[in-house]
Amino acid sequence: ISWYSDSNFQTSASEVATNETYYGKIEDCTHNNSLSYSANAGILTESCSSCGHSATATLNVPSDLKYDGETKTVAVQISETWQGGSLSAKYYQGDDEATPQNAGTYTAKITAGEGGTAATASVEFEITKAKPTISISADKTSPISGGGTVTLTVDKSALPDNAEVTVTCDNASYNPTPGTEGKYTITLPNSNGTYKFTVNYAGDGNHESVSDDCTVSVTYKSSDSTSSNSSSSSGSKSSSLVPLRSLSLIHITEPTR
């Protein structure tokens, strides 16, 4: 309320005396040179010393802070009655301005006011590393009889571009040989055994390490052999048949009496 000594509201009453008539005029506060700011963590509070006005601006951290290659920006939510103009956050890592895109810890800040009436609200947040996936599989179903060549296939389509992986065997004598398009080959011996093959991705500044494994078993296979079908038993009898054509006909004549 502004006070005047006349009903036309022309003469301002800078001082109020007793037994005098004054006229009050309700006017919207222009907040000229009367706004001040204070900060508490991620909230700025705006106050007017002339009319008691109060409003806030709040920094809201995004819910998804897993690295995905996109910039992670905080939202600035301001009250409808905010008078301090538009606000945009600035981002820092340590004392240096930085774009909040890669994995790491950042501080977002907003400032309102000037000089002694200014204040800065800030909030810290962390972009965490992405957890990729990887897989390895064998082209033959265990157990493999007799050993032989096995082809292993590594699927690293969920890894970052140009990611390097290693494939090893728990028996170092049978570490596979890399080929093209994610293929690896190894020749396993004809003997009973189990082989565990592991693919590893070491990770980088934005991705966690990840691994997968598969197991291949081999069973021994004996070589084919031929054996004679003839056999004899102890104490058995044998006989031979003589062809009829080899027999001579003998004629016996009975003597005359």
Side-chain angles (χ1 to χ4, degrees), residues 117-177:
T117 64
T120 298
S122 64
V123 64
E124 185 176 274
F125 62 97
E126 181 184 8
I127 299 176
T128 58
K129 291 184 178 183
K131 187 174 182 62
T133 58
I134 193 172
S135 67
I136 184 171
S137 58
D139 67 334
K140 294 181 179 178
T141 302
S142 294
I144 302 171
S145 178
T149 300
V150 175
T151 299
L152 304 168
T153 300
V154 173
D155 181 2
K156 59 177 187 176
S157 59
L159 297 183
D161 293 341
N162 302 317
E164 295 185 359
V165 300
T166 59
V167 179
T168 57
C169 180
D170 57 353
N171 183 335
S173 298
Y174 296 100
N175 284 332
T177 301

Side-chain angles (χ1 to χ4, degrees), residues 65-69 103 127-133 158-160 201 203-210:
L65 289 174
K66 185 76 70 175
Y67 171 80
D68 58 9
I127 299 176
T128 58
K129 291 184 178 183
K131 187 174 182 62
T133 58
L159 297 183
Y201 167 62
D204 59 21
N206 291 317
H207 301 85
E208 294 183 14
S209 61
V210 66

Side-chain angles (χ1 to χ4, degrees), residues 202-252:
D204 59 21
N206 291 317
H207 301 85
E208 294 183 14
S209 61
V210 66
S211 65
D212 189 36
D213 59 70
C214 69
T215 300
V216 178
S217 298
V218 177
T219 56
Y220 173 75
K221 180 181 180 181
S222 61
S223 59
D224 293 334
S225 62
T226 58
S227 60
S228 173
N229 290 327
S230 62
S231 62
S232 61
S233 300
S234 176
S236 63
K237 296 181 178 180
S238 62
S239 61
S240 299
L241 298 177
V242 179
L244 290 176
R245 64 176 177 270
S246 66
L247 298 177
S248 298
L249 180 63
I250 300 174
H251 180 71
I252 299 176

Side-chain angles (χ1 to χ4, degrees), residues 16-36:
V16 178
T18 58
N19 298 320
E20 294 291 339
T21 301
Y22 297 93
Y23 301 89
K25 184 180 181 181
I26 299 176
E27 298 177 315
D28 292 333
C29 182
T30 60
H31 310 300
N32 287 335
N33 302 316
S34 59
L35 290 177
S36 62

